[in-house]
Amino acid sequence: MEIIDGNQIAAAIVHELKAEVATLTGRQPCIALVRVGEDPASVSYVKKKQVMAAEIGIESRLILPPATIPQAELFALIDQLNADEGVDGILVQSPLPKGIDEVAVFRRIAAHKDVDGFHTLNLGKLAQEDDTGFVACTPAGIMELLRRSGVSLSGKHVVVLGRSLIVGKPAALLAVQRKAWANATVTICHSQTTNLPAITRQADVLIAAIGKAEFVTADMVKPGAIVIDVGVSRVPDATKKSGYRLTGDVHFPSVSPLCAKITPVPGGVGPMTVAMLMKNTVKARRLNQST
Ligand code: GUN
């Protein structure tokens, strides 16, 4: 069993991006990070995005509207950022407070600044295998993690657990692409799937993205499979100073001995998501080269 080290692979990407940014002429790339309210996980994720941006030489602008912001005002804020020639990428951290239509917010962001890849146009480009768009960061990070770990998906059965816009659907679209590193046979499972363990046990590569702590147990995994754990849940742990520990969608102690390769939580997919956001921001800067 090999543990795929997301921190190490993300660090290699940061190194590459730093060198690329140093060759850019004109102003630095710039990302606007919008965090609505004080969701503790979002506070931590946005902080990580700021830190990695600074390390690469990407400017980040932190915008912190209160959880009570009306949707119309959030739209107005996005419109301003869309019009701002000094901003290359816009990220609105999910989840948003109840009462705000998250998909409508993602659609409000100009497609050419949508470094999250959640806009209708970018998802359409992904389906059409048009590489001029932006691909959602977590699925892009998963594919990069697999590629750089020497895993070929071609002809393999990839089972994606979860059908979210942020991970499950775009991950499935990427894995099935007509690309040398993709070409997988893909099954998407979700809450209404019947006989789930029988399907997940067929997976050569299992991508778990449902956000349920330690849901995937040893009986659901084929020996020798590659397991990518996307979930991050906080579970109470009295031995920790914070009172909690982070765990994934996979019950790591029982599943990991079975696997050929597995990603840990934390330190697997998480840092890759942030690295791919930075990669998309540099791509946006190149698209926006006239300013
Ligand atoms: N929340 C969890 N993952 C993501 C992500 O990739 N982008 C945004 N905007 N919010 C998230």
Side-chain angles (χ1 to χ4, degrees), residues 45 49 91-95 106 116 118 137-138 166 273:
Y45 294 148
K49 290 168 186 178
L91 174 134
V92 179
Q93 187 67 29
S94 169
F106 295 151
D116 254 330
F118 300 154
C137 304
T138 301
I166 292 182
T273 297

Side-chain angles (χ1 to χ4, degrees), residues 27-35 46 49-50 53-54 58-65 77 80-92 113 281:
R27 62 167 176 78
Q28 285 177 288
C30 172
I31 182 167
L33 300 169
V34 181
R35 195 196 75 215
V46 170
K49 290 168 186 178
Q50 274 184 290
I58 294 172
E59 181 194 344
S60 61
R61 288 198 205 163
L62 191 57
I63 302 158
L64 303 172
L77 169 64
Q80 251 179 33
L81 295 170
N82 284 340
D84 188 333
E85 291 192 341
V87 172
D88 301 299
I90 302 168
L91 174 134
V92 179
K113 296 192 179 189
T281 304

Side-chain angles (χ1 to χ4, degrees), residues 103 106 114 116-129 133-136 164-166 169-170 173:
V103 174
F106 295 151
D114 170 37
D116 254 330
F118 300 154
H119 189 280
T120 318
L121 184 72
N122 287 315
L123 281 163
K125 284 186 174 184
L126 173 60
Q128 292 179 347
E129 305 197 20
F134 295 104
V135 176
S164 70
L165 184 67
I166 292 182
K169 280 191 199 118
L173 282 171

